Amino acid sequence: MARALIALARPRWRITLLWQFSEIVVWIMTLLWLLGFDPNGHGIDYSWLMYSLLIRDVFLLVLAGLVVYEMWHPEVDVVRASGLDDPGGGPFDDAPDVWRQWLIERAERRYAAARHAAPELTAVATPTVQADRRLRK
């Protein structure tokens, strides 16, 4: 199920194939650890299984981050890069991205308020500014 959803959410395949390869490695490492080919203990040390799980989790987090990034930035999305809305949008086709527009307007308001409230920095004389003034004289 997850593979089908990632194919719909992100049709670029490189990172998805790396994630699937890491799933195979986790499966093999789990079997080696559980089956215990070594008579003195398990087939592999438990730390190797944890390393493979951590690598797999990093791939999952990267994939989730890329899906969210492409949701908020349709210009980098392969499906919506041409400017068309989501082709599978159904009744929501050509609907405005309300949350994205709200976040952009909020960020612009905060930037304008911060720029307006910032004190003038002309009175501050750092050593670099002082050295530059001495060179100009």
Side-chain angles (χ1 to χ4, degrees):
M1 182 68 163
R3 285 177 215 85
L5 292 177
I6 194 66
L8 291 174
R10 195 156 195 287
R12 295 182 181 145
W13 287 99
R14 270 180 273 174
I15 191 79
T16 306
L17 289 175
L18 287 173
W19 165 56
Q20 285 300 293
F21 178 73
S22 71
E23 289 285 350
I24 293 169
V25 169
V26 165
W27 182 70
I28 292 171
M29 295 291 232
T30 304
L31 289 180
L32 286 173
W33 184 75
L34 290 174
L35 292 176
F37 292 113
D38 187 12
N40 297 329
H42 296 292
I44 60 167
D45 194 26
Y46 186 68
S47 62
W48 287 104
L49 178 61
M50 286 294 108
Y51 291 141
S52 65
L53 287 169
L54 286 174
I55 291 170
R56 189 265 322 257
D57 291 346
V58 166
F59 281 127
L60 280 173
L61 290 173
V62 167
L63 273 172
L66 287 171
V67 168
V68 170
Y69 181 78
E70 288 180 2
M71 281 176 21
W72 288 107
H73 300 280
E75 63 273 3
V76 296
D77 188 2
V78 174
V79 176
R80 299 191 295 169
S82 64
L84 294 175
D85 202 19
D86 189 5
F92 300 106
D93 199 20
D94 294 326
D97 293 332
V98 177
W99 287 104
R100 183 172 187 256
Q101 188 62 34
W102 177 76
L103 286 173
I104 290 171
E105 290 171 0
R106 181 178 171 206
E108 287 173 350
R109 283 194 308 268
R110 283 187 173 187
Y111 177 72
R115 188 178 52 193
H116 185 289
E120 291 297 323
L121 299 177
T122 55
V124 177
T126 62
T128 307
V129 173
Q130 291 173 352
D132 190 37
R133 286 181 185 161
R134 277 185 257 134
L135 290 174
R136 289 184 186 171
K137 290 181 181 179

